[in-house]
Amino acid sequence: MHSHHLLLEEPVRMASILEPSKPSFFPAMTKIVGTLGPRSRSVETISSCLIAGMSVARFDFSWGDTEYHQETLDNLKLAIKSTKKLCAVMLDTVGPELQVVNKTERPISLEAETLVVLTPNQEKEATSNLLPINFSGLSKAVKTGDTIFIGQYLFTGSETTSVWLEVNEVTGEDVVCLIKNSATLSGSLFTLHVSQIRIDLPTLTDKDKEVISTWGARNNIDFLSLSYTRHAEDVRHAREYLSKLGDLHQTQIFAKIENFEGLTHFDEILQEADGIILSRGNLGIDLPPEKVFLFQKAAVYKCNMAGKPAVVTRVVDSMTDNLRPTRAEATDVANAVLDGSDAIVLGAETLRGLYPVETISIVGKICAEAEKVFNQDLYFKKTVRYVGEPMSHMESIASSAVRAAIKVKASVIICFTSSGRAARLIAKYRPTMPVISVVIPRLKTNQLQWTFTGAFEARQSLIVRGLFPMLADPRHSADTISATNESILKIALDHGKASGIVKSHDRVVVCQKVGDDSVVKIIELED
C-alpha cells in the first residue's frame, strides 16, 4: 500500500505530482474527528461521514441540550451498524467559557469606532451598545487597553461575524469598550475571549459535571475533551470525577490547550493527560499570529515523543461555506501531518457547514498525500534517540517491530493487545504501513457480574495515527497457546485481505505474546 515512499528531501519529478493517487481502504492514516450538529446529525449524513473517513464523533456541549445530543448519538449508532465502521465518541466540555447572552436572538449590529458596554446583568437585553455577559468578574480581570474578542466561532476580529474590542474604561462591574471593526453578531450565545487574562472559574464547571454524569455515563464516552485546561491539576480533578462514574474510569482525557496558561504549564499537563488538543482558534488570540506555528510544532513534537496523540483544530474554516479549502488551508492540513499530528478536528465545518461529507473527504485526501512524503526514517531515529537506553522491554519490542516491517517492506503490522498499550507504542514509531490492532477482550468481575473489557480499548485507538482496531472473539485470551493465536491471526489476515491492505505474497509483521514472552515474527503470505 505504501511501498513507494518518497521523502520531501528527495528531488520530486514535477510531472509525478499530477499522477492520480491510488485508492485505498483507509482514506488516511491520520484520523479525522468530526463535530456532529445541525448539518450532520441525520443517519444518512453520519453514514456518509463515516465512509468518508470520520473515526471519532465530537459532541460539543457549549450549545444544544442533552436530549438533542442524545438523538444525534442514537443516529450515530444506527450509522455505525449500517456502515460497519467503528467510531468513538468524544464529549467536549464547555469549561470556563465566557459568553454574551442574547435572549431575543435578534442579530446585533456593532459599528466600528463606537462604544459598547459589557455588563454582568443578564436581565438586560442585548443591543448595539450593551451586551450582557455570564461572568461577574470581568471588570476585576481587565484593564484599559486590553483586547477582547467576541464571536460565534472565534476568528481574528476582521470578519463580519466576530468583533474585536479594546477596553476603554471600567465602571463598577461594567466594562466599556471601543469597537475596532464593524460586525453583526447572530444567534443566542457568542463566545467572549479576553487575550492573556486569567479567568477565575473552575475548569470543570457544575454544568460540565452534570452533562458528564448523565449523558456521558449513560453513553460510556470514550474521550473527554477538557476545554481550557490550564494546569495538570485540572486533568487530575477531571480523572478523579470520572473514576466515580462506573465505566467512565476508562474514559481518556484529552487536555484542550487554548490559552496562555495552558501553554505555560504544557509539560506537566502532557504528563497527566492521555492526549492533547491544540485549540488554535483561541490560541491564535492569546498568541501573536507569528508565534502560532512555533507552538504547534513544539507541542506536536512533545506529544510524539511521549507517545500521546496530538490533535489539531481549525484547519479548513473556509469550507464551512465553500466546497474547496483555500490553498493556505490545504497546505496547513499537510503541514499538521508532516509535523506529526495524529488527528484533525473539524468543528463548524461539519457542525453547521454546508459540506460536512466533502470536508472530511478532502481533509482525508490531503492527509494521505502528506503521509506519502512524511520522513519516517528521520522520525524513527529521532524517537529512538529521545527514548534513550536502556529501553523498556515493550518499547524495544515496538520499535523492533516497526524497523522489521520497514526493512522487509511489510504491507501491514498486526499487533495482539488487550490494553491497547502495545499497539499504541508501535504507532508511536509512525510506521509507513497501517497497524491492525487486534484487541483481545479480557473477562473481569465485580463479584456481582462478569463483563468483558475490550470495546473501550478498541475505540480509543481510533484517534491514533495509523492504528486500525478490530475486536477479537472473547473466547480467546491474549496469552494462550499458539494454536488459538493462529486462529485469531487468520481472522485478522482475512480482515486485511477483505479491506484490500493485504494480498498474496505480501509480508506481514506480527507482534504477539506467547506465554510470558513478546514475539515479533515476519510471515510471507501464500496464494
Side-chain angles (χ1 to χ4, degrees), residues 187-233:
S188 58
L189 290 173
F190 328 110
T191 307
L192 180 147
H193 187 94
V194 189
S195 187
Q196 298 207 4
I197 291 294
R198 194 184 177 283
I199 298 299
D200 193 20
L201 286 170
T203 300
L204 200 63
T205 64
D206 289 343
K207 185 189 170 191
D208 292 330
K209 286 179 176 176
E210 190 191 331
V211 166
I212 294 165
S213 62
T214 54
W215 192 90
R218 181 165 74 235
N219 296 301
N220 278 349
I221 53 164
D222 303 297
F223 303 108
L224 181 75
S225 164
L226 191 60
S227 295
Y228 297 96
T229 304
R230 295 169 284 187
H231 304 272
E233 189 51 48

Coordinates of all heavy atoms in Angstrom, one line a residue, residues 187-233:
G187 N -27.5 34.9 16.7 CA -27.6 33.7 17.5 C -27.9 34.1 18.9 O -28.0 35.2 19.3
S188 N -28.0 33.1 19.8 CA -28.3 33.3 21.2 C -27.1 33.5 22.1 O -27.1 34.1 23.1 CB -29.2 32.2 21.8 OG -28.6 31.0 21.6
L189 N -26.0 32.8 21.7 CA -24.8 32.9 22.5 C -23.6 33.2 21.6 O -23.4 32.6 20.5 CB -24.5 31.5 23.2 CG -25.5 31.1 24.3 CD1 -25.1 29.7 24.7 CD2 -25.3 32.0 25.5
F190 N -22.7 34.0 22.1 CA -21.4 34.2 21.4 C -20.3 34.1 22.4 O -20.5 34.5 23.6 CB -21.3 35.7 20.8 CG -22.6 36.2 20.4 CD1 -23.2 37.3 21.0 CD2 -23.3 35.7 19.3 CE1 -24.4 37.8 20.7 CE2 -24.5 36.3 18.9 CZ -25.0 37.3 19.6
T191 N -19.2 33.5 22.0 CA -18.1 33.3 23.0 C -17.3 34.7 23.1 O -17.2 35.4 22.1 CB -17.1 32.3 22.4 OG1 -17.9 31.1 22.1 CG2 -16.0 31.9 23.4
L192 N -16.9 34.9 24.3 CA -16.1 36.1 24.6 C -14.7 35.6 25.1 O -14.6 34.8 26.0 CB -16.8 36.9 25.7 CG -16.2 38.2 26.2 CD1 -17.3 39.2 26.5 CD2 -15.3 38.0 27.4
H193 N -13.7 36.1 24.5 CA -12.3 35.7 24.9 C -11.5 37.0 25.1 O -11.3 37.8 24.3 CB -11.7 34.9 23.7 CG -10.4 34.3 24.1 ND1 -10.2 33.0 24.7 CD2 -9.1 34.8 24.1 CE1 -9.0 32.8 24.9 NE2 -8.3 33.8 24.6
V194 N -10.9 37.0 26.3 CA -10.0 38.1 26.7 C -8.6 37.7 26.5 O -8.2 36.6 27.1 CB -10.2 38.6 28.1 CG1 -9.5 39.9 28.4 CG2 -11.7 38.8 28.4
S195 N -7.8 38.4 25.7 CA -6.4 38.0 25.4 C -5.5 38.0 26.7 O -5.5 39.0 27.3 CB -5.9 38.8 24.3 OG -4.6 38.4 23.9
Q196 N -4.9 36.9 27.0 CA -3.9 36.8 28.0 C -4.4 37.2 29.4 O -3.6 37.9 30.1 CB -2.6 37.5 27.6 CG -2.0 36.9 26.4 CD -0.5 37.1 26.3 OE1 0.2 37.6 27.2 NE2 0.1 36.7 25.2
I197 N -5.6 36.9 29.8 CA -6.1 37.2 31.1 C -6.5 35.9 31.8 O -7.1 35.1 31.2 CB -7.4 38.2 30.9 CG1 -6.9 39.5 30.4 CG2 -8.1 38.3 32.3 CD1 -6.1 40.4 31.3
R198 N -6.2 35.9 33.1 CA -6.6 34.7 33.9 C -8.0 34.8 34.3 O -8.4 35.8 35.0 CB -5.7 34.5 35.1 CG -5.8 33.2 35.7 CD -5.0 32.9 36.9 NE -5.4 31.6 37.4 CZ -6.5 31.3 38.0 NH1 -7.4 32.2 38.2 NH2 -6.8 30.0 38.3
I199 N -8.9 33.9 34.0 CA -10.3 33.9 34.4 C -10.5 33.0 35.6 O -10.1 31.8 35.6 CB -11.2 33.5 33.2 CG1 -11.1 34.4 32.0 CG2 -12.7 33.4 33.7 CD1 -11.4 35.9 32.3
D200 N -11.0 33.5 36.7 CA -11.1 32.8 37.9 C -12.4 32.0 38.0 O -13.3 32.3 38.7 CB -11.0 33.8 39.1 CG -10.8 33.0 40.4 OD1 -10.3 31.9 40.4 OD2 -11.1 33.6 41.5
L201 N -12.4 30.9 37.2 CA -13.5 30.0 37.2 C -13.0 28.5 37.1 O -11.9 28.3 36.6 CB -14.4 30.2 35.9 CG -15.3 31.5 35.9 CD1 -15.8 31.7 34.5 CD2 -16.4 31.4 36.9
P202 N -13.7 27.5 37.7 CA -13.2 26.2 37.6 C -13.2 25.6 36.2 O -14.0 26.0 35.4 CB -14.2 25.4 38.5 CG -15.4 26.2 38.5 CD -15.0 27.6 38.4
T203 N -12.2 24.8 35.9 CA -12.1 24.2 34.5 C -13.2 23.3 34.2 O -13.8 23.3 33.1 CB -10.7 23.5 34.3 OG1 -9.7 24.5 34.6 CG2 -10.5 22.9 33.0
L204 N -13.6 22.4 35.2 CA -14.7 21.5 35.1 C -15.9 22.2 35.9 O -15.9 22.1 37.1 CB -14.4 20.1 35.6 CG -15.2 19.0 35.2 CD1 -15.1 18.8 33.7 CD2 -14.8 17.7 35.9
T205 N -16.8 22.8 35.2 CA -17.9 23.5 35.8 C -19.0 22.6 36.3 O -19.0 21.4 35.9 CB -18.5 24.5 34.9 OG1 -19.1 23.8 33.8 CG2 -17.4 25.5 34.3
D206 N -19.9 23.1 37.1 CA -21.0 22.3 37.6 C -21.9 21.8 36.4 O -22.4 20.6 36.4 CB -21.9 23.1 38.6 CG -21.2 23.3 39.9 OD1 -20.2 22.6 40.2 OD2 -21.6 24.2 40.7
K207 N -22.0 22.6 35.4 CA -22.8 22.2 34.2 C -22.1 21.1 33.5 O -22.8 20.1 33.1 CB -22.9 23.5 33.3 CG -23.9 23.2 32.1 CD -23.8 24.3 31.1 CE -24.6 23.8 29.8 NZ -24.4 24.7 28.7
D208 N -20.8 21.2 33.4 CA -20.0 20.1 32.8 C -20.2 18.8 33.5 O -20.4 17.7 32.9 CB -18.5 20.4 32.7 CG -18.2 21.6 31.8 OD1 -18.9 21.7 30.8 OD2 -17.2 22.3 32.0
K209 N -20.1 18.9 34.9 CA -20.2 17.7 35.7 C -21.6 17.0 35.5 O -21.7 15.8 35.4 CB -20.0 18.0 37.2 CG -18.5 18.3 37.5 CD -18.4 18.6 39.0 CE -16.9 18.8 39.3 NZ -16.7 19.3 40.7
E210 N -22.6 17.9 35.4 CA -24.0 17.3 35.2 C -24.1 16.6 33.9 O -24.6 15.5 33.8 CB -25.0 18.5 35.3 CG -26.4 18.0 35.3 CD -27.4 19.2 35.1 OE1 -27.1 20.3 35.5 OE2 -28.5 18.9 34.6
V211 N -23.5 17.2 32.8 CA -23.6 16.5 31.5 C -22.8 15.2 31.5 O -23.3 14.2 31.0 CB -23.0 17.5 30.4 CG1 -22.7 16.8 29.1 CG2 -24.0 18.7 30.2
I212 N -21.6 15.2 32.1 CA -20.8 14.0 32.2 C -21.5 12.9 33.0 O -21.5 11.7 32.5 CB -19.4 14.3 32.8 CG1 -18.6 15.3 31.9 CG2 -18.6 13.0 33.0 CD1 -17.4 15.9 32.5
S213 N -22.1 13.3 34.1 CA -22.7 12.2 35.0 C -24.0 11.7 34.4 O -24.4 10.6 34.8 CB -22.9 12.8 36.4 OG -23.8 13.9 36.3
T214 N -24.6 12.4 33.6 CA -25.9 11.9 33.0 C -25.6 11.4 31.5 O -25.5 10.2 31.3 CB -27.0 13.0 32.9 OG1 -26.4 14.2 32.2 CG2 -27.4 13.4 34.3
W215 N -25.4 12.3 30.6 CA -25.2 11.9 29.2 C -23.9 11.1 29.0 O -23.9 10.1 28.3 CB -25.2 13.2 28.3 CG -25.2 13.0 26.9 CD1 -26.4 12.9 26.1 CD2 -24.1 12.8 26.0 NE1 -26.1 12.7 24.8 CE2 -24.7 12.6 24.7 CE3 -22.8 12.7 26.1 CZ2 -23.9 12.4 23.5 CZ3 -22.0 12.5 25.0 CH2 -22.5 12.4 23.7
G216 N -22.8 11.5 29.6 CA -21.6 10.9 29.4 C -21.6 9.4 30.0 O -21.1 8.5 29.3
A217 N -22.1 9.3 31.2 CA -22.1 8.0 31.9 C -23.1 7.0 31.2 O -22.8 5.8 31.0 CB -22.5 8.1 33.3
R218 N -24.2 7.6 30.7 CA -25.2 6.7 30.0 C -24.6 6.2 28.7 O -25.0 5.1 28.3 CB -26.4 7.6 29.8 CG -27.6 6.8 29.1 CD -28.9 7.6 29.2 NE -29.0 8.7 28.3 CZ -29.2 10.0 28.7 NH1 -29.4 10.2 30.0 NH2 -29.3 11.0 27.9
N219 N -23.8 7.0 28.1 CA -23.3 6.6 26.8 C -21.8 6.0 26.7 O -21.3 5.8 25.7 CB -23.4 7.7 25.8 CG -24.9 8.1 25.6 OD1 -25.7 7.3 25.1 ND2 -25.3 9.3 26.0
N220 N -21.3 5.8 28.0 CA -19.9 5.3 28.0 C -18.9 6.0 27.1 O -18.3 5.4 26.2 CB -19.9 3.8 27.7 CG -20.3 3.0 28.9 OD1 -20.3 3.5 30.0 ND2 -20.5 1.7 28.8
I221 N -18.8 7.3 27.2 CA -18.0 8.1 26.3 C -16.5 7.6 26.3 O -16.0 7.2 27.3 CB -18.0 9.6 26.6 CG1 -17.7 9.9 28.1 CG2 -19.4 10.2 26.2 CD1 -17.3 11.3 28.4
D222 N -15.9 7.6 25.1 CA -14.5 7.2 25.0 C -13.5 8.2 25.4 O -12.5 8.0 26.0 CB -14.3 6.7 23.6 CG -15.2 5.7 23.1 OD1 -15.2 4.6 23.7 OD2 -16.1 5.9 22.2
F223 N -13.8 9.5 25.0 CA -12.9 10.6 25.3 C -13.6 11.8 25.9 O -14.8 12.1 25.5 CB -12.3 11.1 23.9 CG -11.6 10.1 23.1 CD1 -12.1 9.6 22.0 CD2 -10.4 9.6 23.6 CE1 -11.5 8.6 21.2 CE2 -9.7 8.6 22.8 CZ -10.2 8.1 21.6
L224 N -13.0 12.4 26.8 CA -13.4 13.7 27.4 C -12.5 14.8 26.9 O -11.3 14.7 27.2 CB -13.5 13.7 28.9 CG -14.0 14.9 29.6 CD1 -15.5 15.0 29.4 CD2 -13.6 15.0 31.0
S225 N -13.0 15.7 26.2 CA -12.2 16.9 25.7 C -12.3 18.0 26.8 O -13.4 18.5 26.9 CB -12.6 17.3 24.3 OG -12.1 18.6 24.1
L226 N -11.3 18.2 27.5 CA -11.3 19.1 28.7 C -11.0 20.5 28.2 O -9.8 20.9 28.1 CB -10.4 18.6 29.8 CG -10.5 19.3 31.2 CD1 -11.9 19.1 31.8 CD2 -9.5 18.7 32.1
S227 N -12.0 21.3 28.0 CA -11.8 22.7 27.5 C -11.0 23.6 28.5 O -11.2 23.4 29.7 CB -13.1 23.4 27.1 OG -13.7 22.7 26.1
Y228 N -10.2 24.5 28.0 CA -9.5 25.5 28.8 C -8.6 24.8 29.9 O -8.6 25.3 31.0 CB -10.4 26.5 29.4 CG -11.2 27.3 28.4 CD1 -12.5 27.0 27.9 CD2 -10.6 28.4 27.8 CE1 -13.1 27.7 27.0 CE2 -11.2 29.2 26.8 CZ -12.5 28.8 26.4 OH -13.2 29.6 25.5
T229 N -8.0 23.7 29.6 CA -7.1 23.1 30.6 C -6.0 24.1 30.8 O -5.3 24.5 29.9 CB -6.5 21.7 30.1 OG1 -7.6 20.9 29.7 CG2 -5.7 21.1 31.1
R230 N -5.8 24.4 32.1 CA -4.7 25.4 32.5 C -3.6 24.8 33.3 O -2.5 25.4 33.3 CB -5.4 26.6 33.2 CG -6.4 27.3 32.3 CD -7.3 28.3 33.0 NE -8.3 27.6 33.8 CZ -9.3 28.3 34.4 NH1 -9.3 29.6 34.4 NH2 -10.2 27.6 35.1
H231 N -3.9 23.7 34.0 CA -2.9 23.1 34.9 C -3.1 21.6 34.9 O -4.1 21.1 34.6 CB -3.1 23.6 36.4 CG -3.0 25.1 36.5 ND1 -1.9 25.8 36.7 CD2 -4.0 26.0 36.5 CE1 -2.2 27.1 36.8 NE2 -3.5 27.2 36.7
A232 N -2.0 20.9 35.3 CA -2.1 19.4 35.4 C -3.2 19.0 36.4 O -3.9 18.0 36.3 CB -0.8 18.8 35.8
E233 N -3.4 19.9 37.4 CA -4.4 19.7 38.5 C -5.8 19.6 37.8 O -6.6 18.8 38.3 CB -4.3 20.8 39.5 CG -5.2 20.6 40.7 CD -4.9 19.2 41.4 OE1 -3.8 18.8 41.6 OE2 -5.9 18.6 41.7

